[in-house]
Amino acid sequence: GSDDRPAVLLADGIAVAPLVSMIRAAAGARSPRELWLIWATGDVDPGHFRQELEAAAVALPQLRLLISGERMNVELVRRCLSASNYLFHLCGNQEWVDELTGDLVRWGVPARDIHSESSGPANVRPDPDSRSLPPLIVPGRRGLPRPECATTP
């Protein structure tokens, strides 16, 4: 069966989009799984996503949201979670994913419990058959908690 441990979704900027899709799926399936979304918006206006996420939190009472203009780092995560025994899914640029993955492992999260999708130059895969189109940025996957953090008003 699938792992039903609590999960923490960590997003940097616009990279929240795939995680919003995961939350939509959980709401559609009426998943009982405890979910956290911790989103460091950066320069992104949370607008539409924020409204959708707040509606999802009504449909999924076990969904906890933290939407912050702060820079995402392990300290922000630790303020929300009392332990590191969650499944983590990170979505952001490759440099951010690498840095946060290392910090989570140093905090005590087993690498097998950290999954990620990333974008950026480190994920560009040139197509040897392509002569006129630039390579696509392809999401990558890497080998990958618990609530006491206030939802933002």
Side-chain angles (χ1 to χ4, degrees), residues 34-96:
E34 178 188 338
L35 287 174
W36 273 91
L37 172 68
I38 303 173
W39 177 23
T41 60
D43 295 336
V44 174
D45 175 4
H48 172 72
F49 283 132
R50 182 184 190 118
Q51 292 172 1
E52 183 175 354
L53 290 166
E54 288 173 347
V58 171
L60 287 171
Q62 69 280 16
L63 172 63
R64 304 289 181 261
L65 299 174
L66 174 64
I67 301 172
S68 173
E70 292 180 59
R71 184 177 187 282
M72 174 67 73
N73 59 44
V74 76
E75 293 309 315
L76 181 60
V77 175
R78 289 177 70 165
R79 283 200 314 252
C80 294
L81 308 175
S82 59
S84 61
N85 62 333
Y86 291 75
L87 294 177
F88 288 84
H89 192 95
L90 287 58
C91 204
N93 72 58
Q94 188 67 52
E95 181 180 341
W96 175 84

Side-chain angles (χ1 to χ4, degrees), residues 87-107:
L87 294 177
F88 288 84
H89 192 95
L90 287 58
C91 204
N93 72 58
Q94 188 67 52
E95 181 180 341
W96 175 84
V97 165
D98 290 345
E99 180 181 333
L100 192 55
T101 297
D103 290 344
L104 289 169
V105 168
R106 283 185 284 284
W107 182 35

Side-chain angles (χ1 to χ4, degrees), residues 14-26:
I14 195 64
V16 73
L19 302 181
V20 171
S21 293
M22 292 172 72
I23 291 169
R24 275 187 209 124

